[in-house]
Amino acid sequence: MGFTMGLNFVLLLVMVATNILSLYHLSSTVQTPNPPPPVPVPDHLLRQLNTIRATINHLTRHNPSSSSTTAEPSSAVPRDLILHSQIGPIASSCHNHPDLLHRYMNYTPFSTCPYDPDLQETLILNGCHPLPRRRCFSRTPSKPPSSLPLTPFPTSLPDSGVIWNKYSCKSFACLSQNNPTGFDLNAQRSSLLKYTSELDLPLTQFMQLAKSANSPIRLGIDIGGGTGTFAALMKKSYNVTMLTTTMNVNAPYNEAVALRGLVPLHVPLQQRFPVFDGTMDLVRCGRAVNRWIPLSVMEFMFYDVDRVLRGGGYLWVDRFFSKAVDLEKIYGPLIGKLGYKKVKWAVANKTDPSGLKHGEVYLSALLQKPVSKS
């Protein structure tokens, strides 16, 4: 609604400005016996028309009509348009889903926003990120928790910290019973703290490796970190700050991370990490990074990992799974393009029914980024 109203308003301005300009020309070209020389159009009218024309092009350039015409580019971008692009950015992929985008922008300005997390997730997973901004007030739980956990491993998370309307489960206890791998806050601790197979890299061993390499670990990103258990362990045991990227697919993962006192990043795998270049000591790819991700998305993700890692920082690939032949011919060479030092590279068969059926394997790897040559 906000997007449509804005476009209609701009079109109305075009009609008014065009009529004014037409009247101006008619008033200056009335037939007389000795017609005077043509009167130039005032600069302020031309500037206004250029601003309106540029704004329309900005709003519609990703959905051109079938009978599009080629307009002459203006010599300079109007300041009004620059201001608009800074205030209301919109990802180009949003225009590929006009029906979803229309539903998302169909709201009443200056009132409470519609509660549509499922719609937001669908748009984001289809590449519409960042979502367009809305001029409305976000909805919050009606009875927020009176106290929050002081440890990232509480006995339970407060249910009142989540709006449960869109989820089949209405409590964290229900989620823990139906999705223990994701919402049992202690489920991943053993694999991160103990060595039971060649795929494991206990945190104590990793931190010792980093220390012996004179590569301190202070900041990092956990990609697809679910409810934030890896970040919780790093915070509690080593005072390391980990950002957790996670999506609310059928469950409130972001709220769970935040209720544990950790930082969730609501971004999809195809999104550029919202941190500056060369600032992270560690990037970990959990089980959300696997062979189901399109290859082009994965390639750009690894290069963005390289962008945010400092020289000497670590890329930790934890139980990446794919077909054995694809690991050898596709994913192994893809990771190898980074040119990182292989501190650990372990491959083992994936022995669940799906792994046996498709000939899948797990890869656990720890790679260190080299220091750039000046």
Side-chain angles (χ1 to χ4, degrees), residues 11-24:
L11 292 174
L12 179 61
L13 285 178
V14 171
M15 294 172 60
V16 173
T18 303
N19 290 336
I20 292 174
L21 187 58
S22 299
L23 289 172
Y24 186 91

Side-chain angles (χ1 to χ4, degrees), residues 223-273:
I223 302 174
T227 56
T229 296
F230 182 82
L233 281 171
M234 294 295 281
K235 177 181 180 180
K236 181 178 180 180
S237 302
Y238 302 101
N239 195 30
V240 173
T241 300
M242 297 291 300
L243 308 176
T244 301
T245 76
T246 190
M247 298 293 295
N248 277 22
V249 179
N250 302 322
Y253 288 94
N254 279 272
E255 292 94 325
V257 174
L259 288 171
R260 300 176 79 173
L262 307 169
V263 182
L265 293 180
H266 189 213
V267 296
L269 294 175
Q270 65 266 37
Q271 172 65 27
R272 186 179 189 267
F273 299 123

Side-chain angles (χ1 to χ4, degrees), residues 117-369:
D118 48 351
L119 177 59
Q120 295 180 38
E121 295 292 313
T122 302
L123 278 167
I124 291 174
L125 290 172
N126 280 285
C128 181
H129 191 274
L131 290 170
R133 295 179 180 179
R134 300 191 289 194
R135 292 178 296 168
C136 56
F137 304 103
S138 63
R139 193 178 299 269
T140 60
S142 57
K143 296 180 180 180
S146 57
S147 61
L148 294 171
L150 299 178
T151 170
F153 288 99
T155 54
S156 63
L157 294 175
D159 295 331
S160 57
V162 177
I163 300 176
W164 296 95
N165 301 17
K166 298 291 185 177
Y167 303 118
S168 56
C169 274
K170 307 300 180 184
S171 67
F172 282 112
C174 172
L175 288 172
S176 181
Q177 289 179 347
N178 291 276
N179 185 8
T181 302
F183 282 88
D184 183 345
L185 301 187
N186 295 299
Q188 295 180 356
R189 294 186 75 171
S190 59
S191 64
L192 293 170
L193 296 176
K194 298 179 181 179
Y195 185 93
T196 57
S197 76
E198 57 187 330
L199 296 172
D200 294 325
L201 179 59
L203 285 182
T204 52
Q205 182 182 358
F206 165 69
M207 296 301 289
Q208 184 60 42
L209 286 170
K211 182 178 180 181
S212 62
N214 294 319
S215 182
I217 306 298
R218 308 151 302 137
L219 300 170
I221 301 175
D222 187 18
I223 302 174
T227 56
T229 296
F230 182 82
L233 281 171
M234 294 295 281
K235 177 181 180 180
K236 181 178 180 180
S237 302
Y238 302 101
N239 195 30
V240 173
T241 300
M242 297 291 300
L243 308 176
T244 301
T245 76
T246 190
M247 298 293 295
N248 277 22
V249 179
N250 302 322
Y253 288 94
N254 279 272
E255 292 94 325
V257 174
L259 288 171
R260 300 176 79 173
L262 307 169
V263 182
L265 293 180
H266 189 213
V267 296
L269 294 175
Q270 65 266 37
Q271 172 65 27
R272 186 179 189 267
F273 299 123
V275 297
F276 195 68
D277 301 6
T279 54
M280 297 292 105
D281 306 312
L282 168 66
V283 175
R284 175 181 175 268
C285 299
R287 300 189 188 188
V289 180
N290 56 61
R291 73 181 182 94
W292 296 113
I293 301 172
L295 188 61
S296 58
V297 172
M298 188 177 300
E299 182 177 19
F300 277 105
M301 184 199 72
F302 279 131
Y303 277 103
D304 205 41
V305 168
D306 179 77
R307 178 185 64 82
V308 302
L309 274 178
R310 63 168 176 80
Y314 290 95
L315 168 60
W316 183 346
V317 180
D318 192 0
R319 284 177 169 78
F320 172 89
F321 71 85
S322 70
K323 294 182 179 180
V325 63
D326 290 341
L327 178 61
E328 179 182 355
K329 296 183 177 181
I330 299 175
Y331 300 113
L334 176 63
I335 297 173
K337 288 181 181 179
L338 296 173
Y340 287 9
K341 176 184 176 183
K342 290 184 179 179
V343 181
K344 177 184 177 71
W345 187 276
V347 179
N349 291 329
K350 188 169 179 282
T351 57
D352 61 1
S354 175
L356 295 174
K357 178 180 178 181
H358 299 289
E360 294 174 331
V361 295
Y362 280 122
L363 166 67
S364 284
L366 182 66
L367 306 118
Q368 186 175 28
K369 179 178 177 177

Side-chain angles (χ1 to χ4, degrees), residues 58 79-89 133:
H58 173 73
R79 292 184 178 180
D80 308 55
L81 179 57
I82 295 176
L83 180 62
H84 170 80
S85 66
Q86 292 171 343
I87 292 176
R133 295 179 180 179

